[in-house]
Each structure stands twice: as C-alpha cells, then as structure tokens.
Amino acid sequence: MSAGKTRPTRLAILLQDLAFGGTQRYALHLLRGLDRDRFAPELWLLNSGDDLLEEARATGAPVRQVSRRAPGDPRAVLRLAALLRRDPPPLLYTLTVAPNIWGRLFGRLFGVPALVSGFRALEPRQWERLLWRLSDRIICNAEALRERAVGRHGAPPGRVAVVPNAVDCDRFSPADAEPGPEVVSVARLVPDKNPQALLEAFARVAPERPGARLVLAGDGPLRPSLEARASAPDLAGRVEFAGGRPDVRPLLARARVFALSSAREGSPNAVLEAMAAGLPVTAPAVGGLTELVRHGETGLLAPPGDVPALAGALARLLDRPGEARALGLAGRERVLREHSLEAMLRATERVLQEALDAARERRGG
C-alpha cells in the first residue's frame, strides 16, 4: 500500500441466509459494487440457505458461513456470538431479522466499533423499539419504513436514512416480442405476501379471458394450499407454479402484467426488476409500494386486501395491451432516473461512513 493511502475498512455484512430474496440481492449488489478503496466487504451467513451462494462467491468478496443450521436453531446464534467475540469487524451491517437482533446484541457486547442495521419491512419483528439504540445508523429502503422506525419505534430521525432499492437496468430490460395475456408474480409464498388474494383475483378474470395465465414464481409454506386451489375447475391448467429461481427474466419477458397482493410490504426488489423490464405493476397500496408504483402512470394500485379491485386492475391491463405497454415503459423510465445501482451504492457508502464517524466521536476522536 502506497504511503499516505489508508487501508479500506473491513465491513462484515451479516445475513440470515442466501435464499432467494430482495435483501439478499441487495447484499450481493454491495459485495460487487462498494468502493474497494474505502470498504473491504465480506458476507457472513448465519444459517443454511444457498440459492444465491454461487453468485455471492463470484463477487470475489469473502463468504463466511457462521453455521449450517436451519433458521431458528439456537446453536447458530451461539456460533455467531463466538465469532464476534473472536473476530469483531470494525464495521458490521446487519440485514434480515435474526441478524438484526443477535448481530446488534453480540456486536455491542463484544466491541464492534460501528454498527449499521437494516429496517426493510413494515413489521420486521426485530425488537426495534429496544434495539435501535445499538445502531449507529439504520438504513430503510422506503420513506414509509423510515416513518415507521421513527414514529412507532422511537428511533431518532438523525440515525435513520432512506436508501432506495436499485436494479441493474442493463440486465433487466423490455422484451422485444409482444407478450401474451400472462400475469406474473415473483414473491415468496408466505402469509405476508398474501398470494391467496392474487389467486382469487385471477379466478375472477380468467373465465372471460380463456388465453390468460397466472405464473407464481416463488416457494414457501403456502404452496400446497395454493396448488390445491389452482387445481379447481375454474383455474385448472391456468396457473403455473414456477418455484424460486435465480433468474426471473424469462418469466418477465413473456408477461403482460406484474402483480403482487401483499398484506404487508416494504420496497420489494421484484417490483423494480419488473419495472425495469417494462412491465406495468398491479399491487396493493401498502407500505413502500406506494412510493414505487404511481397509480395510472406506471401501474395500478388497489386497496389492501380488496380482491375485486385487484381483479379489476388485472382485467384492465390484460384487455388493454397498449395501455399496459405504455405504463410499463413509463415505469422503466422512472427506474432509470431514480433507482440506479450507482446511486444506491454511493448512498449506502455515505451512511456507512456516517456510522464510522459516529463511532469515532463516541470514542472521543
């Protein structure tokens, strides 16, 4: 290292796992794109879940498996405590629920100097009302989440930053061919995502549109019940369960509409990917979705839990391919302006540096 040049700060990014998910994608963007002259990132994985492991290794950043235990196994937490006691990094960034709890507690206990945490869901169940005090900075990916962290949990506004999600618009781009009447949803099949509502909304529009199909890309505990519903006579042969997959671009390329029906939502990466791919988005007006989707400009919003309204939005875009295309292209333009990878990376770096500066002030310089 040349004289006068400072060594990059070692940054440990702590995730629960590398199962398919928007926060996992965000972590990979950080591994690939953070300024290596300023930060030396490494990824710590609390539990098993390897869907994106090869992508993580391909970034060239160290990947450290804290444990191979399933989520919820207390032995993984004990392994994390031992690791932080033995090898505390100068800067720790905790993401997802269990790391935000145990990473903060053990990080402070064992002397991690600077600690940043993520608040990326409306109700992340990570003891935020108590634990924000352990974070030098908190990063939200939507203004609605910042308002929740400050208003409901009492975090000081100066500690909470908004860094919107980003998408690689070179990787996600509009398809050349005109898509058929297909609706695609990319989401875990879990209660918070409420995929039952989307299935019922599609059941309302399918009978009058014999060519329409619904594709659900994702896995989760609700899949068996959803498959049973999709086998009923009114939906038989009209719903495809595509499972979780590392690359959803082929599914987006053949769809006319992207849809979510979440009961609770932060700022899902899947919506940005769909917008970058030129798809209009139908979704409930909940959480950060109202910041991503502009009703009548880039998609259509419906009241949360309103199946008839969601069905109406699907029907409108399936029946009007020209309008769907126009909304989708407007969405892509918005993503290009406001959700670039470069802007997200530089904003994250600013918050990480603020945390380091706050830690130095706390230690008296």
Side-chain angles (χ1 to χ4, degrees):
M1 183 174 295
S2 61
K5 186 174 181 180
T6 60
R7 188 180 299 275
T9 300
R10 180 174 164 235
L11 163 66
I13 301 170
L14 177 62
L15 270 176
Q16 179 161 305
D17 54 45
L18 275 174
F20 294 122
T23 300
Q24 286 80 357
R25 287 285 181 195
Y26 167 63
L28 296 188
H29 288 321
L30 298 182
L31 295 181
R32 279 189 290 262
L34 288 175
D35 184 348
R36 295 298 180 93
D37 289 332
R38 298 178 63 191
F39 300 99
E42 54 191 64
L43 184 63
W44 292 13
L45 300 171
L46 183 60
N47 299 109
S48 61
D50 299 341
D51 295 330
L52 299 173
L53 182 58
E54 290 309 310
E55 284 192 50
R57 288 173 173 162
T59 67
V63 178
R64 200 164 187 173
Q65 191 76 54
V66 178
S67 86
R68 298 294 304 174
R69 303 291 178 182
D73 192 314
R75 289 170 289 186
V77 174
L78 295 177
R79 290 285 299 274
L80 175 63
L83 177 57
L84 284 169
R85 182 175 184 178
R86 181 175 70 251
D87 188 23
L91 177 57
L92 177 65
Y93 186 5
T94 60
L95 291 166
T96 59
V97 173
N100 274 323
I101 296 172
W102 302 110
R104 285 192 276 193
L105 287 169
F106 292 134
R108 286 301 184 214
L109 178 63
F110 297 123
V112 170
L115 206 154
V116 178
S117 57
F119 189 94
R120 298 172 63 86
L122 282 176
E123 296 295 341
R125 305 179 185 92
Q126 60 191 33
W127 306 349
E128 201 64 32
R129 187 178 295 273
L130 297 174
L131 296 185
W132 65 257
R133 296 164 178 81
L134 305 182
S135 303
D136 293 293
R137 289 295 183 272
I138 298 166
I139 295 180
C140 304
N141 57 3
E143 184 61 37
L145 302 186
R146 182 182 185 276
E147 292 173 1
R148 182 67 62 98
V150 172
R152 174 169 293 190
H153 300 294
R159 286 200 202 185
V160 187
V162 176
V163 178
N165 282 345
V167 63
D168 185 344
C169 290
D170 292 328
R171 188 166 186 265
F172 289 88
S173 58
D176 294 328
E178 186 67 29
E182 190 160 288
V183 178
V184 64
S185 180
V186 180
R188 292 172 294 119
L189 304 181
V190 296
D192 277 359
K193 300 295 183 179
N194 195 19
Q196 306 97 316
L198 179 56
L199 200 59
E200 293 305 327
F202 182 73
R204 288 173 176 252
V205 305
E208 297 179 7
R209 296 161 185 85
R213 299 181 74 253
L214 172 65
V215 179
L216 299 177
D219 281 311
L222 297 180
R223 180 164 178 168
S225 62
L226 295 169
E227 288 178 327
R229 173 64 182 92
S231 67
D234 60 335
L235 288 175
R238 309 287 296 277
V239 181
E240 176 185 343
F241 290 84
R245 52 182 61 200
D247 189 357
V248 298
R249 288 175 297 171
L251 301 180
L252 299 177
R254 72 189 209 208
R256 182 175 298 166
V257 183
F258 181 90
L260 284 182
S261 51
S262 308
R264 285 174 289 276
E265 195 59 85
S267 182
N269 271 4
V271 167
L272 288 180
E273 292 171 353
M275 292 170 68
L279 293 185
V281 176
T282 64
V286 63
L289 285 171
T290 59
E291 298 170 43
L292 294 181
V293 183
R294 291 180 176 168
H295 182 73
E297 295 181 22
T298 64
L300 299 174
L301 294 171
D306 191 332
V307 170
L310 182 58
L314 293 177
R316 173 174 163 177
L317 295 180
L318 287 172
D319 292 344
R320 303 178 187 178
E323 180 182 3
R325 183 74 170 173
L327 293 175
L329 292 178
R332 176 171 172 82
E333 288 302 314
R334 182 160 184 242
V335 169
L336 288 169
R337 289 193 310 270
E338 302 177 18
H339 294 277
S340 71
L341 283 175
E342 183 70 15
M344 180 274 288
L345 290 165
R346 303 295 80 85
T348 301
E349 288 170 355
R350 286 193 293 272
V351 179
L352 295 176
Q353 186 61 53
E354 288 175 4
L356 289 169
D357 293 344
R360 292 190 186 101
E361 290 179 10
R362 195 168 52 248
R363 297 196 305 270

